[in-house]
Amino acid sequence: MAFRSAVITFPGSNCDRDMAVALEHVSGTPALRVWHGDSALPEGLDFIAVPGGFSYGDYLRCGAIASRSPVMRAVIEQAERGVPVLGVCNGFQVLTESGLLPGALMRNAQLNFTCRDVPLRVENSQSLFTSGFEAGQEISLPVAHHDGNYFADEETLDRLEGEGRVAFRYLEAINGSQRGIAGVLNQAGNVLGMMPHPERAIEDVLGGSDGYTLFESAVKSLAEA
Amino acid sequence: MKVQIHVSLKPGVLDPQGRAIHHALDGLGFSGINDVRAGRLIELDVDENVTDEALDEMCRKLLANMVIENYRIERA
């Protein structure tokens, strides 16, 4: 069965094409492209990706305006029905701003834009996005962000840890994130937000293929479902 | 009428921008600065009949991120 995925594009998104290429590369089916002003998503989606970039120029707060756009209402509805949603970088910011994921992403503690490969540990290998990894596996993915400093109150952080909702953790302090959190899952496990870019690491000639494993996990888990 | 919305980081939330400003002020030779917190001022021009409740909702729904920020509404 064809893997039916959609990539949302906001004004200022710039990783949408990479995301679509990655989804097609891994699943063999071209991803549908959806414009932010659309109020409906294509029918019968298996996977929704909210890509990185600088939606609305990061005005007000990163992801704030995009999270209130018409298409996000449809994304939230689909997420609540259990459709897998992946938000990367600015997409992660959009998902926290929309309330699909807890916490907020603040300016990097050292104030620099950080653009490099970073080592990560897979903390939860049971999710539909991470089942192709071993628990505790160390992987490498590129980051490129100015506002990736994950913040949530202590109670929320304890809950996330207790429920196994920290998907990835930085192995180096790169942006000041609370407890080194690089990616979090929602309670149902069908929404993942992460600052590192899996779509930029889908084959070794691009510097690594750990991102491939993430998309492959999602494609496989849907095929098995 | 003019309305000013003051958005500030909640106490206890680390403010990297405030810290950088603090550092720069120290570098300029100003002394006696204990802390710096950076916030945001949003000015709205609204009809007289826009209620306090509506302004409050605007803040909670968009203008402030309630996870990390507080807001204060001031009618001019």
Side-chain angles (χ1 to χ4, degrees), chain B:
Chain B
M1 71 180 296
K2 293 268 199 289
V3 177
Q4 292 194 331
I5 314 281
H6 300 263
V7 181
S8 56
L9 282 176
K10 287 184 176 173
V13 175
L14 204 73
D15 179 7
Q17 292 180 93
R19 213 167 45 181
I21 296 165
H22 192 171
H23 184 74
L25 287 171
D26 285 346
L28 287 170
F30 294 104
S31 61
I33 304 159
N34 298 319
D35 194 20
V36 179
R37 308 280 285 172
R40 188 184 299 116
L41 170 66
I42 300 168
E43 287 189 325
L44 307 180
D45 187 338
V46 300
D47 289 343
E48 295 287 338
N49 59 8
V50 172
T51 62
D52 286 352
E53 289 71 29
L55 289 169
D56 206 58
E57 199 180 349
M58 290 177 208
C59 290
R60 282 184 283 108
K61 278 195 167 168
L62 178 65
L63 302 179
N65 178 339
M66 301 307 294
V67 176
I68 49 172
E69 293 169 332
N70 287 328
Y71 62 87
R72 183 164 51 83
I73 300 167
E74 223 170 77
R75 285 184 188 260

Side-chain angles (χ1 to χ4, degrees), chain A residues 96-173:
Chain A
T96 57
E97 279 283 345
S98 73
L100 279 174
L101 292 172
L105 291 142
M106 303 184 58
R107 181 54 48 96
N108 290 351
Q110 84 288 17
L111 299 169
N112 293 330
F113 188 97
T114 300
C115 182
R116 63 181 172 91
D117 290 352
V118 295
L120 300 164
R121 188 168 58 231
V122 180
E123 297 288 0
N124 176 339
S125 62
Q126 306 293 312
S127 80
L128 73 98
F129 305 96
T130 56
S131 56
F133 299 108
E134 302 289 326
Q137 187 179 339
E138 293 186 9
I139 63 171
S140 173
L141 289 175
V143 296
H145 62 248
H146 207 167
D147 298 81
N149 180 351
Y150 186 76
F151 177 87
D153 59 49
E154 287 295 314
E155 195 187 320
T156 304
L157 293 169
D158 287 343
R159 199 176 66 237
L160 290 176
E161 305 254 22
E163 294 174 352
R165 289 166 57 188
V166 176
F168 301 103
R169 208 186 300 271
Y170 302 112
L171 291 171
E172 295 170 6

Side-chain angles (χ1 to χ4, degrees), chain A residues 56-67:
Chain A
Y56 296 90
D58 281 349
Y59 292 165
L60 189 62
R61 298 176 303 274
C62 300
I65 309 284
S67 70

Side-chain angles (χ1 to χ4, degrees), chain A residues 198-223:
Chain A
E199 80 283 7
R200 295 190 190 178
I202 55 164
E203 47 189 323
D204 288 331
V205 290
L206 298 175
S209 58
D210 286 334
Y212 186 97
T213 308
L214 186 148
F215 293 106
E216 191 185 32
S217 303
V219 172
K220 275 189 180 166
S221 70
L222 283 156

